[in-house]
Amino acid sequence: DTGALVPSTFVTGHRYAALGYTTAIEAAIAPSGARQCHLELEDTPNIDRGFLLLLANNEVILDLISRNERQAAKDTAAALLARTGAFGMKAVNPGGVALWKSEARRVEGIDDRLGGRNVTPRAILEVLSEAAEELRLPHPLHIHANRLGVPGNIETTLATSRALAGRRRHLTHAQFHAYGDDGSGGYASAATRLAEHLNADPRLTLDVGQVMFEEALTLSADLALE
């Protein structure tokens, strides 16, 4: 082991195998980190592995969408997938990270414009999900929705899924996206609403995410959350 918080590649592969896993996917790699990711995955024993490429706050793609050059944006996503050898695409807080970096404010809904740009989270999700479908990727667009961890964010989660109705899409760590509002700005469970939505749509998949009961180290591409 190389540390109390982050195990080595060798230990990681053995721990997953000991738990019965045969495959593990690194879920959030920027294009600039792809080479290092390949090196680490190649050094991880026992399991099949791959990674998802972060694209929902890529400046080139956002600029193309803002100029309504959607086909060029999809072509850029395809080129980045090919160059990096990624398994699929990840959308983390679509547009929200870019907005946080430029203006230090959060996206409140999928139709919010990102500052002075003619681009919204909805447009980003549409372009990337269309690209995933047209490229026939084995895994649909992997979505970490806007407003993660915020009371009442179930409305954003459902709006995100409905915006992509008719397409394959995957909502990740849904436990953090299924919060209602208790009426005073506090947390309430809206898991039933999300479960009912999931059961009604065969093209939607989701994962619950790991439940942590104590303090934990978190690593996320969602800068606003961190």
Side-chain angles (χ1 to χ4, degrees):
D1 202 329
T2 58
L5 294 177
V6 181
S8 67
T9 52
F10 179 84
V11 171
T12 296
H14 282 276
R15 286 185 178 176
Y16 272 117
L19 289 168
Y21 286 92
T22 60
T23 304
I25 302 295
E26 167 55 63
I29 295 294
S32 60
R35 184 188 299 274
Q36 178 66 26
C37 185
H38 276 294
L39 292 172
E40 293 184 12
L41 292 181
E42 181 63 26
D43 197 49
T44 302
N46 298 328
I47 57 174
D48 291 325
R49 57 270 185 206
F51 68 90
L52 304 179
L53 196 63
L54 289 167
L55 292 177
N57 290 279
N58 181 278
E59 287 296 329
V60 175
I61 290 175
L62 295 188
D63 184 58
L64 289 168
I65 295 173
S66 72
R67 291 191 270 128
N68 203 32
E69 296 181 27
R70 290 197 172 199
Q71 186 57 53
K74 289 189 287 185
D75 291 344
T76 299
L80 287 170
L81 284 170
R83 285 173 178 266
T84 60
F87 182 74
M89 296 186 288
K90 176 76 171 283
V92 171
N93 189 6
V97 175
L99 184 64
W100 180 264
K101 288 194 294 185
S102 64
E103 300 185 16
R105 64 183 179 89
R106 299 173 183 269
V107 164
E108 296 299 328
I110 66 169
D111 291 310
D112 281 9
R113 288 185 57 172
L114 305 183
R117 298 197 237 200
N118 184 30
V119 60
T120 62
R122 181 190 296 271
I124 297 166
L125 290 163
E126 288 174 346
V127 166
L128 294 181
S129 64
E130 287 172 13
E133 293 286 86
E134 292 170 8
L135 293 168
R136 298 184 179 181
L137 298 181
H139 184 64
L141 181 63
H142 201 88
I143 303 167
H144 159 132
N146 302 108
R147 303 186 68 239
L148 180 140
V150 177
N153 66 2
I154 184 63
E155 306 303 338
T156 303
T157 302
L158 295 178
T160 296
S161 179
R162 289 167 180 153
L164 304 179
R167 304 186 186 102
R168 293 183 307 144
R169 68 270 193 214
H170 179 88
L171 297 175
T172 192
H173 41 63
Q175 61 161 327
F176 298 116
H177 292 289
Y179 295 138
D181 188 319
D182 66 2
S184 61
Y187 290 96
S189 174
T192 298
R193 292 180 61 191
L194 184 56
E196 290 172 347
H197 178 72
L198 170 69
N199 291 336
D201 192 334
R203 298 184 70 80
L204 171 65
T205 56
L206 60 79
D207 62 81
V208 174
Q210 178 62 47
V211 178
M212 305 302 293
F213 297 103
E214 297 179 357
E215 292 185 2
L217 171 70
T218 62
L219 298 173
S220 177
D222 190 345
L223 301 184
L225 173 71
E226 293 295 344

